[in-house]
Amino acid sequence: MTTATPHPELREEGSTDALPVAPSLGISLDAARMPRRSTVVDARILRIAALAIALGVVAALVAQVLVALIALVTNLAFFGRLSIDEASPAQHALGAWVIVLPVIGGLIVGAMARWGSRAIRGHGIPEAMEQVLLNESRIPPRMTFLKPVSSAIAIGTGGPFGAEGPIIATGGALGSLLGQLLHVTGNERKVLLAAGAAGGMAAIFGTPVAAVVLAVELLLFELRPRSLIPVALAAVTATGVRYALAGTAPAFPMPDVAEPGLAALACYVAIGALIGLVSVWVTRIVYGIEDAFEKLPIHWMWWPALGGVVVGLVGYVAPATLGVGYNNIVDIIGGHLALGALVFLCAMKFLSWSIALGSGTSGGTLAPLFTIGGALGAIVGVGIVAIAPQLGVDPRIAGLVGMAAIFAGASRALLASVVFAFETTHQSAGLLPLLGGCTAAYLISALSMRNTIMTEKIARRGVRVPSEYAADFLEQVLVRDACTREVISLRTSDALGDVRAWMHSGKAEAQHQGYPVIDDSGRVRGVVTRRALLDPAHPNIRRIGDMGLREPVVVHGHHSLREAADHMVANDIGRLIVVGETAPHPLQGILTRGDLLAAHARRLKEAHQADRHIRLRGREPQAQG
């Protein structure tokens, strides 16, 4: 029995996958099973990227179809004409009959949910998140047409929702469908889902960067080249198609504004914090309304119709709350609404949207939140101007900050909120206020509630949604820094009888469940288990080298602990032999599951142990005389 010796300097180069090894004395370590070195990307990304580009084209076309379908339903319901030209329900002349239309829409959506798919209820993003986290991104194919049709009916009959949520869900369903038709991994299917969703959002608003960031923050839960590249290509492609079909004008045109001063910037950050607090209460109220519907003694199929009653009543009093209402956002950030109009629009839109969403109908949350938050921000901005005009606050920028901050607080998609507001307005002067205001809203939200408007629903079903995207700690630690160096090994020349006597000696080192076997030159020849050593079928006169040795499953010192951990899982073992990289590949140590856990001690220390490393010397006390 021998103990491993310290290893020589290791050469830094990647290892290759190895071939299976026959359990014999003459095996070569070069053929032993060894983990593949991690790479940033591989050739498969070219295929996934090509599929993502195709998805971008399809998602952009589907987005245009959804917009046309919403316009068609709107024209039929409110104006009695067969047309796909853009139309606003606020211009209707139906009088009190407008109350009936959202109810009819709710009845149709409820029936589609009951006999089509219950997953069409809501705004779609939580459902997509759930499929990513629990079902390997496998969305039922019927969602590719049920979601857009149900959303078009709900919005076209006056529902106070945006088209962005449904197209994000539809694009994701298209990507998932493609990933189910082709031979891809679960991770690649997730990337295709996110690519379709990003393509859909980019096609609606012309916001490729925001679409990519939103996909990262709400669907991918990671920031890796193998996922980022396809999603970005899909978003760029979808935006290019949108530019070709609808032009390059910003989705929410806004007058040019001046760069804010220091005092104004501080006010915008404070506005963001206030809107962040509002976003917390908005989330709680929406789910409180949903809980109230759950207590109703009628089937959930009828709930959207009940919500439609409120939508119709509010729409009768405030026609601007009906439909997507993108023009409301333009009016808010353009400074076209007086204070009273802003207060009225904010209150009525929130009342209509929160009850409709809580009832379980189909539609997006982005546009309503932007309207509510934008109006609140503009209200506060107008108030600051009236009280302290010297601060230099612009109500239009305040509205822009409020619009983005409420989404940042409600969804915690911080960067997506900032970039989205910039890309939809093309106002570079708003970037700094947006970053400050959205960060403040994000902070307040993170301190005030555990889940978000996107995750609360699935969290209640027991789904744990990642909230932080940190670098893999195991990827940062090398095997040579974590393995056990003092390894008890056996030699091929050891007599089995002597080994058995040693194993019965009661010594601690003789109680291990497995031992590496080396030859007289120090090369690893295999692994033998305690069970095999004590098997009475082997006569005592045999030497260890004559036994059938298990093929060595090895790592080099330059492998990461992540590569080693994956290697353990792939081979269903709890320890790996660490060998040198140069011939004769001497045994250098052993890596166990316990070593992997022990490696996290440094991470926990860095996260929780507060130390002072530089101390400022105070004044020496003066002597008392």
Side-chain angles (χ1 to χ4, degrees):
M1 285 67 70
T2 60
T3 301
T5 56
H7 63 82
E9 185 65 22
L10 299 176
R11 57 184 173 88
E12 295 296 331
E13 68 179 45
S15 61
T16 60
D17 275 350
L19 300 174
V21 180
S24 64
L25 182 61
I27 63 176
S28 168
L29 188 64
D30 291 335
R33 283 185 289 171
M34 194 171 293
R36 183 190 298 274
R37 289 299 304 274
S38 298
T39 56
V40 176
V41 294
D42 54 32
R44 283 188 65 89
I45 195 174
L46 298 176
R47 180 190 182 206
I48 302 302
L51 294 174
I53 291 172
L55 271 175
V57 174
V58 175
L61 296 177
V62 170
Q64 296 301 317
V65 171
L66 177 59
V67 171
L69 192 57
I70 292 173
L72 175 64
V73 177
T74 301
N75 277 294
L76 281 173
F78 287 90
F79 304 103
R81 62 193 180 213
L82 192 64
S83 172
I84 59 172
D85 292 335
E86 184 178 350
S88 172
Q91 307 300 321
H92 73 87
L94 296 177
W97 285 105
V98 74
I99 300 173
V100 179
L101 291 179
V103 178
I104 296 174
L107 288 172
I108 297 174
V109 171
M112 292 181 67
R114 181 170 185 178
W115 288 292
S117 173
R118 189 170 181 172
I120 67 172
R121 304 173 70 219
H123 49 98
I125 296 180
E127 289 73 23
M129 295 170 71
E130 185 173 23
Q131 296 304 315
V132 167
L133 293 169
L134 295 184
N135 198 31
E136 293 187 352
S137 305
R138 293 191 294 256
I139 297 176
R142 62 182 178 274
M143 287 297 294
T144 57
F145 62 89
L146 285 178
K147 186 63 179 179
V149 171
S150 64
S151 298
I153 293 172
I155 299 170
T157 54
F161 304 105
E164 63 291 324
I167 190 56
I168 289 173
T170 303
L174 284 169
S176 174
L177 175 61
L178 182 62
Q180 294 176 72
L181 291 173
L182 301 177
H183 190 70
V184 298
T185 67
N187 281 337
E188 290 169 339
R189 190 180 306 113
K190 177 178 71 172
V191 171
L192 291 175
L193 185 154
M201 179 177 175
I204 287 288
F205 292 114
T207 54
V209 180
V212 172
V213 178
L214 186 74
V216 169
E217 293 183 315
L218 296 184
L219 293 174
L220 289 171
F221 308 111
E222 65 181 24
L223 187 59
R224 299 193 300 171
R226 66 189 63 190
S227 55
L228 183 61
I229 292 171
V231 172
L233 289 174
V236 170
T237 303
T239 305
V241 174
R242 179 188 188 275
Y243 285 171
L245 297 177
T248 61
F252 305 138
M254 180 180 179
D256 291 336
V257 292
E259 294 284 350
L262 181 60
L265 182 60
C267 290
Y268 296 137
V269 174
I271 290 173
L274 176 63
I275 299 298
L277 186 60
V278 171
S279 73
V280 173
W281 284 104
V282 163
T283 302
R284 290 174 177 170
I285 291 172
V286 165
Y287 282 100
I289 293 172
E290 187 173 297
D291 292 339
F293 272 99
E294 293 279 355
K295 297 176 182 178
L296 292 178
I298 59 175
H299 194 277
W300 55 260
M301 158 187 181
W302 305 104
W303 298 351
L306 294 179
V309 174
V310 176
V311 172
L313 289 171
V314 173
Y316 177 67
V317 177
T321 61
L322 297 169
V324 293
Y326 292 150
N327 57 306
N328 294 329
I329 299 173
V330 175
D331 289 340
I332 290 169
I333 61 178
H336 302 147
L337 298 180
L339 180 61
L342 287 169
V343 173
F344 185 69
L345 175 62
C346 180
M348 293 296 100
K349 188 72 173 184
F350 175 70
L351 177 64
S352 176
W353 165 74
S354 60
I355 293 178
L357 185 64
S359 71
T361 192
S362 181
T365 60
L366 274 70
L369 282 175
F370 292 154
T371 302
I372 297 165
L376 277 174
I379 291 168
V380 176
V382 170
I384 294 175
V385 170
I387 297 172
Q390 68 275 12
L391 294 177
V393 170
D394 188 330
R396 296 171 297 181
I397 297 182
L400 182 65
V401 170
M403 161 182 136
I406 196 167
F407 186 67
S411 69
R412 303 228 187 100
L414 169 61
L415 297 179
S417 301
V418 174
V419 178
F420 178 87
F422 167 68
E423 287 189 305
T424 53
T425 61
H426 294 184
Q427 285 295 323
S428 59
L431 267 176
L432 194 57
L434 283 168
L435 182 60
C438 288
T439 302
Y442 184 94
L443 172 62
I444 297 298
S445 172
L447 289 173
S448 303
M449 62 180 180
R450 180 180 182 84
N451 297 307
T452 71
I453 200 168
M454 301 296 179
T455 63
E456 177 67 25
K457 180 181 294 185
I458 57 177
R460 292 181 176 188
R461 301 173 190 161
V463 180
R464 180 151 188 168
V465 182
S467 58
E468 296 180 350
Y469 316 119
D472 186 353
F473 180 75
L474 293 181
E475 188 66 40
Q476 305 171 48
V477 182
L478 299 181
V479 167
R480 64 187 178 208
D481 297 325
C483 68
T484 301
R485 299 297 183 138
E486 298 297 323
V487 181
I488 303 301
S489 62
L490 305 178
R491 290 190 177 274
T492 55
S493 57
D494 289 338
L496 182 56
D498 294 340
V499 172
R500 284 176 172 172
W502 170 72
M503 294 178 70
H504 288 103
S505 66
K507 296 180 180 179
E509 62 269 20
Q511 307 306 311
H512 297 170
Q513 298 303 309
Y515 298 91
V517 179
I518 61 177
D519 61 17
D520 292 334
S521 64
R523 289 181 298 176
V524 177
R525 291 303 188 179
V527 178
V528 64
T529 64
R530 182 182 186 85
R531 187 179 201 179
L533 290 170
L534 297 178
D535 189 346
H538 298 303
N540 289 346
I541 59 173
R542 296 186 64 180
R543 297 195 176 274
I544 299 298
D546 297 327
M547 297 179 62
L549 303 178
R550 293 179 58 182
E551 61 185 39
V553 183
V554 303
V555 289
H556 288 320
H558 68 259
H559 283 113
S560 71
L561 291 191
R562 168 53 54 210
E563 292 164 331
D566 291 345
H567 201 35
M568 285 183 183
V569 173
N571 290 282
D572 193 25
I573 56 176
R575 55 180 53 82
L576 298 172
I577 298 173
V578 184
V579 298
E581 298 177 59
T582 56
H585 305 293
L587 174 66
Q588 295 178 344
I590 192 167
L591 185 75
T592 66
R593 291 193 185 104
D595 294 327
L596 294 178
L597 294 176
H600 282 283
R602 191 183 83 190
R603 178 181 63 83
L604 295 175
K605 177 182 177 181
E606 291 175 354
H608 301 291
Q609 182 173 326
D611 294 317
R612 176 185 292 174
H613 297 283
I614 299 178
R615 298 180 182 275
L616 300 178
R617 180 177 297 178
R619 295 180 61 184
E620 294 292 335
Q622 296 181 356
Q624 301 294 324

